[in-house]
Amino acid sequence: MRKVLVFVLLVLFVSTFSFGVKIGLSVSTLNNPFFVDLANGAEDKANELGIELLVVDARDNPAKQLNDVEDLILQRVDMILVNPTDSDAIVSAIEEANDAKIPVITVDRSANGGKVLLHIASDNVAGGRMAGSFIAEQLGGKGKVIELVGVPGTSSARERGQGFNEEISKHPDIKVVARQTANYNRAEGLTVMENLLQAYPDVNAVFAHNDEMALGALEAIKAAGKLQDIIVVGFDATPDALASVEKGELSATIAQQPYTMGEMAVEKAYEYLSTGTIYFPVPLQLVTE
C-alpha cells in the first residue's frame, strides 16, 4: 500500500511540475532538413512530457536569433535551447539569458561564451576525420580535393574542417586545392561547385561540411558529366543524402542523429528543471573470462 501511495504521489508531482513548464528552442534555420528533424525531435519529446515548447526560426540571421532569444526571455521561459547561427554572435544572447537567470543548453553548435548548462552534439571533429579517411582510402592516398565549408563562425564548420584536414594531412600526396564556403546551402553548393570545376577540372574528390552543399555540388558535377570521376562526401545523413548514396551518386555521408539531439535537449532541460541535476549514465560492460 505504501509503495502504491509513493507511486501516486510521484505521478502527481511530475504531472503538476509539467503543467506550466515552458521551454524555448531557437533553431538556426528551418530551411534545412537536418534542423527540421532536430526541431521535430524536440517537439515530440515535449509533447510526451506534457510541457510547452516554443520554437523560433533564426533563418540563419544572427541578429534575428538575438531578437528571438530576447523575446523568449520576455516570455519568461524556464529554459532556452539554442542552436546557434554563429558561435560568437550568440554570446550576447546567452549572456542576456544568464542575467535573466534562465538556464541555456546549446544544441549541435556550441557558443564561444556565456554560461551554458550543457552542450548536446555529435563529435564533429571525429566526423571530419571519418570523411577524410574515407576519401584518402578511395583515392589510394593520392589526388586533388575540394572542401566546401559551412557557415563561417559556426562550431560545426570549424570542427568538421579541423578533423578533415587533420586526417588529410597524413597523406602528403593528397592536396586540398580549394576551400570555399557555401553556407550549408544547396543552391550555393551548386553555384560554388560550378565555378570551382572551371578552375580545377581535374579534381578527384569533394568534402562538403553538410549534405545540402554536397547535393548541390553533386548537381554541378552531374551537369559537367563528371559523376564517375569525382567522389563526393557529405555530412548529416539527411533523407535526400541517404537516397543519393543508395542510388550510387553521393559517395558517402557522415551519419548524425538530429532527431535524437532534439529529444535529448528537451529531456535534459526537463530533468534539470525538475530535479536540479542532469544525469548521464556511464555505459556498463560485462567482463568474462
Side-chain angles (χ1 to χ4, degrees):
M1 182 66 183
R2 185 179 177 183
K3 288 183 178 179
V4 173
L5 180 60
V6 170
F7 175 75
V8 170
L9 289 173
L10 181 61
V11 170
L12 286 172
F13 168 75
V14 171
S15 300
T16 303
F17 175 79
S18 298
F19 184 76
V21 170
K22 188 159 52 177
I23 295 175
L25 169 61
S26 172
V27 185
S28 59
T29 175
L30 289 175
N31 193 34
N32 182 319
F34 180 86
F35 297 115
V36 171
D37 211 15
L38 189 152
N40 287 341
E43 288 176 332
D44 287 348
K45 179 57 69 171
N47 289 334
E48 177 189 321
L49 294 172
I51 59 181
E52 184 179 0
L53 180 71
L54 306 177
V55 180
V56 287
D57 179 6
R59 300 175 190 165
D60 273 332
N61 184 331
K64 184 179 186 306
Q65 187 160 51
L66 173 59
N67 289 335
D68 288 344
V69 171
E70 288 174 339
D71 287 343
L72 291 172
I73 292 170
L74 288 174
Q75 293 184 64
R76 297 306 304 170
V77 295
D78 299 290
M79 174 84 73
I80 295 176
L81 314 177
V82 182
N83 162 238
T85 60
D86 183 292
S87 297
D88 287 320
I90 197 62
V91 173
S92 58
I94 292 174
E95 288 175 342
E96 287 190 35
N98 295 158
D99 291 341
K101 308 300 182 189
I102 299 174
V104 176
I105 291 176
T106 51
V107 189
D108 184 56
R109 301 171 180 171
S110 62
N112 289 339
K115 184 179 179 182
V116 173
L117 179 68
L118 180 68
H119 178 56
I120 295 174
S122 302
D123 188 336
N124 284 306
V125 176
R129 289 196 192 105
M130 196 179 296
S133 177
F134 175 82
I135 287 175
E137 181 182 345
Q138 294 298 304
L139 295 182
K142 184 177 182 179
K144 297 179 180 179
V145 182
I146 286 172
E147 181 181 359
L148 295 183
V149 179
V151 175
T154 58
S155 58
S156 56
R158 182 180 66 251
E159 292 165 2
R160 291 172 192 183
Q162 175 189 334
F164 174 72
N165 286 284
E166 283 175 359
E167 189 63 34
I168 289 297
S169 67
K170 298 175 184 177
H171 306 274
D173 292 328
I174 297 180
K175 307 295 182 186
V176 179
V177 294
R179 186 175 289 111
Q180 192 166 331
T181 184
N183 292 305
Y184 287 138
N185 183 278
R186 191 181 301 202
E188 288 190 47
L190 169 61
T191 302
V192 169
M193 195 65 209
E194 284 175 338
N195 294 333
L196 290 174
L197 282 173
Q198 295 294 319
Y200 306 98
D202 57 345
V203 67
N204 308 111
V206 176
F207 170 52
H209 288 187
N210 83 336
D211 287 334
E212 288 297 285
M213 294 188 297
L215 292 168
L218 193 65
E219 288 305 308
I221 290 167
K222 286 165 68 176
K226 293 179 177 287
L227 185 60
Q228 304 305 316
D229 304 322
I230 302 174
I231 297 164
V232 181
V233 177
F235 203 116
D236 287 341
T238 62
D240 284 355
L242 293 175
S244 183
V245 171
E246 192 172 340
K247 285 170 63 178
E249 296 184 346
L250 192 65
S251 304
T253 181
I254 308 301
Q256 292 199 88
Q257 299 184 67
Y259 185 89
T260 302
M261 281 187 209
E263 279 189 315
M264 184 178 290
V266 171
E267 184 175 21
K268 293 305 173 184
Y270 177 82
E271 190 176 302
Y272 179 79
L273 291 170
S274 58
T275 68
T277 60
I278 294 176
Y279 173 60
F280 277 101
V282 176
L284 302 175
Q285 183 177 16
L286 175 67
V287 179
T288 68
E289 184 181 337

